[in-house]
Amino acid sequence: MKRFLFPTLLLLAAVACAPKTGAPAEVPIRTYNAPKATGAITIDGILDEADWQNAPLSDAFADIRGVDFEPKPIKQTNMKMLWDEENLYIAGIIEEDNVTASLTEHDAIIYHDNDWEVFIDPDQDCRFYFEIELNALNTVMDLLMDRPYRDGGKFYLPWDLRGLKTAVHVDGTLNDPSDTDKGWTVEMAIPIASLCVEFQTPQELLDKDWKIGFSRVEWLKESGPEENWVWNPTGLVDMHQPERWGVLHFVK
Ligand SMILES: [Ca+2]
Ligand SMILES: [Ca+2]
Ligand SMILES: [Ca+2]
Ligand SMILES: [Ca+2]
């Protein structure tokens, strides 16, 4: 009996990762070639480390429904990534003329504010992946998904990304609409060991490419609907399409 178990699990994983009917057949997948950091990265929201300056700037974020979808985002968003043996480092560069944030409790539903969102599936199997959201007050929501909602997935909000460090720098004034801000920057250090929930080692994870999605929720109108500006469009208003996220390649 035991020898049949492994192929069955593989089959389940393949089914879980297949795109569903009704969604666009093909979405171009972006790849980011992340350099290895040569020095320490101080998580203070300020991207003045030489490593950040040398890291490539991502493509500008587009509407979640597609790179050519109209209307296009009216505010620029980019990201950068770095890595070392301990951490994945993420920088978010978010143009914003009116930086706002209200939520202060850990694990609040952060996308009710304008936010910055990261989705990570290190082993690319569309199961057991991570979602991290934060606002301009650096309030974090982090959770673990067992699989996408479309496959009956459940989220586990009490899960916290052990050792996660995040910081935000506001270039302007927070919650003061009387002036014009330039934007906000996010700096994150994500311990690779804390993403090993499927019996991998950090080195095993670093040996291969990851799936990674970035999204920015922007409430242009208070009444909504919200804008979803993303690095790799999924083709529909739903980030929980892991096979359509971009690829993180670790440059060795
Ligand atoms: Ca820094
Ligand atoms: Ca996974
Ligand atoms: Ca949590
Ligand atoms: Ca302001």
Side-chain angles (χ1 to χ4, degrees):
M1 192 62 208
K2 206 172 180 181
R3 68 201 162 96
F4 294 113
L5 188 62
F6 189 55
T8 307
L9 284 175
L10 275 181
L11 184 67
L12 279 174
V15 168
C17 220
K20 291 292 179 278
T21 325
E26 230 170 280
V27 177
I29 302 296
R30 290 172 162 170
T31 295
Y32 186 90
N33 293 308
K36 188 173 182 188
T38 60
I41 305 296
T42 306
I43 302 301
D44 56 5
I46 299 170
L47 309 175
D48 60 355
E49 288 85 351
D51 281 313
W52 281 134
Q53 278 153 33
N54 296 332
L57 188 66
S58 75
D59 295 294
F61 286 24
D63 189 277
I64 195 168
R65 287 160 284 192
V67 283
D68 297 321
F69 187 89
E70 301 280 352
K72 296 209 160 91
I74 58 169
K75 301 175 189 183
Q76 175 102 3
T77 318
N78 299 91
M79 62 80 182
K80 292 184 174 188
M81 287 188 274
L82 295 165
W83 66 280
D84 59 25
E85 272 76 17
E86 304 297 316
N87 294 297
L88 170 66
Y89 302 97
I90 291 173
I93 303 146
I94 304 160
E95 183 190 50
E96 178 61 80
D97 54 336
N98 181 25
V99 182
T100 59
S102 62
L103 298 163
T104 56
E105 272 192 42
H106 179 71
D107 278 342
I109 306 300
I110 298 295
Y111 68 77
H112 289 163
D113 280 344
N114 291 342
D115 79 354
W116 170 256
E117 305 184 350
V118 184
F119 298 76
I120 306 174
D121 185 14
D123 60 0
Q124 301 209 24
D125 65 353
C126 299
R127 300 169 69 251
F128 297 107
Y129 61 85
F130 314 98
E131 177 175 353
I132 311 156
E133 302 180 352
L134 59 86
N135 64 10
L137 281 167
N138 194 28
T139 307
V140 171
M141 184 224 72
D142 47 3
L143 60 80
L144 172 66
M145 292 289 300
D146 61 347
R147 55 193 187 277
Y149 293 110
R150 65 184 188 212
D151 302 317
K154 294 195 172 56
F155 63 89
Y156 185 52
L157 192 57
W159 177 86
D160 292 335
L161 209 165
R162 184 166 35 92
L164 172 69
K165 287 187 194 153
T166 64
V168 168
H169 174 72
V170 176
D171 192 355
T173 59
L174 181 68
N175 294 329
D176 177 4
S178 69
D179 54 8
T180 304
D181 304 321
K182 286 197 171 144
W184 51 298
T185 46
V186 173
E187 195 171 26
M188 314 170 78
I190 298 174
I192 292 163
S194 299
L195 304 181
C196 295
V197 298
E198 294 182 83
F199 303 104
Q200 313 100 331
T201 65
Q203 190 55 54
E204 280 167 352
L205 292 186
L206 284 170
D207 282 345
K208 292 182 182 165
D209 294 346
W210 296 8
K211 282 299 238 185
I212 192 159
F214 292 92
S215 173
R216 165 190 184 176
V217 166
E218 180 81 8
W219 294 86
L220 290 179
K221 287 178 292 193
E222 212 168 300
S223 56
E226 83 285 4
E227 308 297 314
N228 296 270
W229 297 332
V230 309
W231 176 49
N232 203 110
T234 61
L236 63 171
V237 185
D238 180 7
M239 275 304 285
H240 291 269
Q241 307 290 331
E243 67 283 337
R244 302 217 174 98
W245 299 341
V247 172
L248 161 57
H249 176 66
F250 299 95
V251 178
K252 304 285 179 355

